[in-house]
């Protein structure tokens, strides 16, 4: 009986599998490019891809299909390293694109200078999502280490967004202690003692906070925080912008090694450039990312962003220094969790 | 000479159905492609580390902790599954009741359900604001986001293994055996412990081993409910993922190789116990 049921499953799986193969076969007739991206950009690129495909067809008469793959930023980078034929990568961290460049040579080492604004067509920042009415009175980073506060953030080891969280907290503590790095480390260590769950990705952490009701504050990408509000209604949560945060610059890059093999360089380049166009910037702002050219976006979209003092990754010596110092094996984050502390 | 004839005899087992050569060829080729080559690749990658580095990586406190958590929770979950799986199988084999077929089918659900779905469902239930978690919370019992949560997830994914391995053996045991034991003056406890359980032991151990092996490698259902705190509820597969996120391939393969080694040793030991109990009680071979 059990094996019969199994055979049934198998048949079903085969039927579904062959249907998908058929669909993929049809799509192959056009040009297809693959954008390998990270988790919270699903909604953004769904919109953007449709706009770009329309524009490309209007300009050249060619139909283009854009496939998008989403996942944790580091995992996505590894897929490309292992051979996923990405035409462009739009990831959460410069360090992830650097890793592709170093491991495969498919991206030149100076990729960051090839597009404007350090190859970041949009930026974001880290804000606090708190429960409606802010019952714990959380207004700034200092409140997060109070005894009665629990903080939700994903694991910086597995989540690109969490690394921005970590650095934003560090930046505040460093500024609050006149630049004392050891005080900053003490603060961040204390902060992570208030973290009851380390999810592996930003979306998981949002679920933990929103659906499981765990914690008093979620450290989140600004765009994720707004999306949560939009999805769940502003009746349940408030966004608190801290006094200092970090300018999160999710970069984009062309994967030269792949586009030259596939003959898609022209369309892939146009795709990335379109992110910088007025139309692209408008879409970006609509999805709660801070556009590189705010004047191109709708003023009301821009008005939603609170003023905040932003540090940048350069204040940490760039990712080439920050990545090994804070997040590599045995780095600051691992020291925080050393047992016996 | 004698050994050669023995070898020949081994390879030419007479069978009603022809095609042994072809079948063995397919078996070996398939096993090589699907199992041996990937595992050899893993071992090959970790062997490139050199012994001292390999040992340093595996004796790292965090790695040892994660391995302890993985194997410890999988062991406990497999024991829970052994006990309740045998009871479940017993009820399904020996009694008739309305809805029996539905319950029988339900046992297989953990096989069919994507583990991530199971993990999310269990987390929703056991989180402090979930149906079960909300009841346990006032009693001071925390399941989700603790090692206990890992055990709950592993019990879920491992359950069918024990039930499905024990069930057919139970069906084979004749009721007359129990009746004979009773007429010879055994009380119910003696009937169960001396007559029934020994016969079920090999199958039970197989189910235990399968559930245990599944639990050690389980990732999808666990990461949602575990809380993933280093040194507390960080499982070895997650640590492998973390090492990969650091682009630290050597450390990841080292942990994987140790898991492989430990699993192999445990399965071997369980196999030996099984073989022993088959000889001892003469069931199933």
């Amino acid at each position: 009986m059990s094996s019969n049921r199994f055979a049934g499953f198998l048949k079903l799986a085969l039927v579904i599998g062959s249907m998908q193969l058929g669909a993929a076969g049809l799509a192959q007739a056009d040009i297809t490019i693959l954008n390998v991206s990270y988790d919270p950009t699903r909604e953004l690129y769904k919109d953007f891809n449709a706009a770009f495909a329309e524009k490309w067809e209007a300009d050249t008469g060619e139909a283009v299909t854009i496939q998008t793959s989403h996942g944790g930023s580091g995992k996505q980078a590894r897929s490309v390293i292992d051979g996923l034929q990405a035409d462009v990568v739009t990831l959460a961290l410069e360090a992830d694109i650097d890793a592709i460049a170093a491991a495969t040579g498919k991206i030149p080492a100076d990729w960051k200078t090839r597009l404007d604004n350090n190859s970041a067509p949009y930026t974001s920042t880290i804000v606090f999502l708190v429960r409606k009415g802010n019952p714990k009175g959380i207004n700034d980073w200092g409140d997060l280490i109070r005894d009665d506060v629990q903080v939700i953030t994903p694991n910086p080891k597995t989540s690109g967004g969490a690394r921005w969280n970590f650095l934003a907290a560090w930046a505040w503590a460093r500024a609050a202690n006149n630049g004392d790095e050891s005080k900053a480390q003490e603060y961040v260590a204390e902060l992570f003692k208030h973290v009851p769950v380390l999810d592996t990705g930003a979306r998981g952490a949002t679920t933990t906070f929103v659906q499981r009701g765990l914690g008093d504050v979620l450290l989140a990408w600004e765009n994720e925080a707004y999306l949560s509000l939009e999805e769940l209604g502003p009746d349940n949560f408030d966004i608190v912008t801290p006094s200092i945060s970090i300018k999160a610059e999710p970069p984009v890059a062309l994967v030269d090694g792949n586009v030259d093999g596939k003959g898609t360089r022209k369309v892939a380049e146009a795709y990335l450039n379109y992110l910088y166009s007025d139309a692209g910037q408008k879409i970006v702002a609509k999805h709660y990312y801070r556009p590189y050219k705010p004047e191109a976006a709708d003023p009301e979209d821009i008005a939603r962003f609170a003023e905040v003092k932003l540090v940048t990754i350069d204040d940490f010596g760039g990712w080439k220094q920050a990545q090994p110092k804070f997040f590599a094996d045995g780095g600051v984050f691992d020291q925080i969790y050393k047992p016996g502390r | 000479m004698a050994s050669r004839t023995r070898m020949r005899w081994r390879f030419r087992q007479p069978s009603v159905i022809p095609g042994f050569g072809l079948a063995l060829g397919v078996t070996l080729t398939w096993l090589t492609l699907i199992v041996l080559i990937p595992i050899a690749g893993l071992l090959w990658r970790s062997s490139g580390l050199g012994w001292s580095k390999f040992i340093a990586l595996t004796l790292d406190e965090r790695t040892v902790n994660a391995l302890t958590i993985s194997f410890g929770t999988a062991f406990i979950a497999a024991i829970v599954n052994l006990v309740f799986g045998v009871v479940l199988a017993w009820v399904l084999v020996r009694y008739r009741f309305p809805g029996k077929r539905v319950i029988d089918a339900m046992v297989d659900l953990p096989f069919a359900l994507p583990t991530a779905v199971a993990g999310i469902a269990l987390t929703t239930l056991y989180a402090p604001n979930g149906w079960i978690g909300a009841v346990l919370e006032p009693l001071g019992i925390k399941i989700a986001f603790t090692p206990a949560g890992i055990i709950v997830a592993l019990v879920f994914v491992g359950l069918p293994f024990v039930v499905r391995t024990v069930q057919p053996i139970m069906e084979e045991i004749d009721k007359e055996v129990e009746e004979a034991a009773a007429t010879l003056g055994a009380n119910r406890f003696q009937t169960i412990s001396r007559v029934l359980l020994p016969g079920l032991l090999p199958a039970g151990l197989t189910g235990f081993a399968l559930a245990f092996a599944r639990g050690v490698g389980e990732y999808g259902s666990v990461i949602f409910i575990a809380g993933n705190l280093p040194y507390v509820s960080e499982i070895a597969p997650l640590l492998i993922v973390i090492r990969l996120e650091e682009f630290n391939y050597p450390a990841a393969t080292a942990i994987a190789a140790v898991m492989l080694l430990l699993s192999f040793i445990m399965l071997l030991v369980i196999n030996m116990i099984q073989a022993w109990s088959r000889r001892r009680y003469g069931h199933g071979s």
Side-chain angles (χ1 to χ4, degrees), chain A residues 1-2 5 9 74-75 78 81 96 99 155 157-158 195-198 200 211-214 327 329 334 337 339, chain B residues 61-62 101 108 112 120 123-124 127-129 145 227-231 238 242-249:
Chain A
M1 175 171 147
S2 159
R5 205 175 312 128
F9 272 124
K75 189 176 77 199
R78 237 178 19 256
I81 290 173
D96 288 327
N155 188 340
K157 291 283 193 171
T158 52
V195 177
V197 180
L198 280 174
T200 52
Q211 314 278 359
R212 315 266 178 268
L214 221 67
F327 306 118
D329 189 17
D334 279 349
Y337 274 103
Chain B
E61 206 182 345
R62 180 123 169 239
R101 290 178 69 101
D108 281 334
I120 291 168
T123 314
T124 310
N129 67 351
F145 314 121
N228 305 326
L229 293 178
Y231 301 101
L238 175 63
I242 286 175
R243 293 298 179 233
L244 288 175
E245 298 289 338
E246 293 164 358
F247 301 103
N248 189 349
Y249 292 83

Side-chain angles (χ1 to χ4, degrees), chain B residues 108-207:
Chain B
D108 281 334
L109 270 183
F111 274 154
L113 199 67
T115 52
V117 175
I120 291 168
L122 290 172
T123 314
T124 310
L125 279 178
Y126 284 93
N129 67 351
W131 288 353
I132 300 176
V135 177
L136 297 176
E137 178 86 353
L139 306 172
I141 304 170
K142 276 192 179 157
I143 303 283
F145 314 121
T146 68
I150 305 179
I151 295 172
V152 168
L154 296 185
V155 167
F156 179 86
V157 296
L159 177 70
F161 290 100
V162 175
V163 180
R164 290 301 180 230
T165 46
V166 171
Q167 215 172 0
I169 307 296
M170 265 181 188
E171 273 160 6
E172 277 177 26
I173 302 177
D174 288 327
K175 237 184 166 163
E176 285 82 35
V177 179
E178 288 161 59
E179 286 162 3
T183 49
L184 292 172
N187 63 30
R188 285 183 181 181
F189 178 75
Q190 281 172 324
T191 311
I192 291 173
S193 64
R194 301 264 179 92
V195 179
L196 294 175
L197 283 186
L200 293 174
L201 196 64
L205 276 172
T206 306

Side-chain angles (χ1 to χ4, degrees), chain B residues 20-283:
Chain B
F20 172 67
L22 182 67
L24 186 69
V26 169
T27 307
L28 287 183
T29 313
W30 195 244
L31 270 180
T32 307
L33 277 175
I34 300 295
V35 180
L36 288 181
I37 291 180
I39 289 180
L42 172 67
L43 292 177
W44 181 72
R45 256 202 119 130
S46 58
S47 71
L49 287 168
W51 271 115
S52 58
K53 207 171 166 211
F54 179 79
I55 288 170
L57 281 171
T58 51
L59 290 186
D60 172 61
E61 206 182 345
R62 180 123 169 239
T63 311
V64 172
N65 249 292
L67 288 169
T68 313
I69 292 165
S70 266
F71 280 85
T73 52
F75 188 79
I76 296 171
I79 288 193
V80 172
N81 272 329
L82 180 60
V83 174
F84 287 94
V86 168
V87 173
L88 252 159
W90 182 254
V91 171
L92 288 174
V93 169
R94 275 301 155 90
Y95 302 99
R96 286 159 173 270
F97 50 91
K100 179 176 157 176
R101 290 178 69 101
V102 178
I103 291 179
D104 194 41
M106 259 163 44
V107 170
D108 281 334
L109 270 183
F111 274 154
L113 199 67
T115 52
V117 175
I120 291 168
L122 290 172
T123 314
T124 310
L125 279 178
Y126 284 93
N129 67 351
W131 288 353
I132 300 176
V135 177
L136 297 176
E137 178 86 353
L139 306 172
I141 304 170
K142 276 192 179 157
I143 303 283
F145 314 121
T146 68
I150 305 179
I151 295 172
V152 168
L154 296 185
V155 167
F156 179 86
V157 296
L159 177 70
F161 290 100
V162 175
V163 180
R164 290 301 180 230
T165 46
V166 171
Q167 215 172 0
I169 307 296
M170 265 181 188
E171 273 160 6
E172 277 177 26
I173 302 177
D174 288 327
K175 237 184 166 163
E176 285 82 35
V177 179
E178 288 161 59
E179 286 162 3
T183 49
L184 292 172
N187 63 30
R188 285 183 181 181
F189 178 75
Q190 281 172 324
T191 311
I192 291 173
S193 64
R194 301 264 179 92
V195 179
L196 294 175
L197 283 186
L200 293 174
L201 196 64
L205 276 172
T206 306
F208 173 85
L210 290 172
F212 177 71
R214 170 72 187 269
V216 166
E218 181 57 25
Y219 178 77
S221 61
V222 173
I223 50 159
F224 293 101
I225 202 169
N228 305 326
L229 293 178
Y231 301 101
V232 178
S233 54
E234 186 173 73
I235 54 167
L238 175 63
L239 192 58
I240 293 177
V241 172
I242 286 175
R243 293 298 179 233
L244 288 175
E245 298 289 338
E246 293 164 358
F247 301 103
N248 189 349
Y249 292 83
T253 42
I255 302 169
V258 173
M259 289 186 76
L260 186 70
L261 193 73
L262 288 176
S263 306
F264 186 72
I265 292 172
M266 294 210 159
L267 291 179
L268 200 69
V269 169
I270 291 168
N271 255 320
M272 279 157 64
I273 300 176
Q274 247 175 296
W276 168 81
S277 81
R278 279 220 176 93
R279 274 200 309 277
R280 174 84 172 69
Y281 299 107
H283 216 289

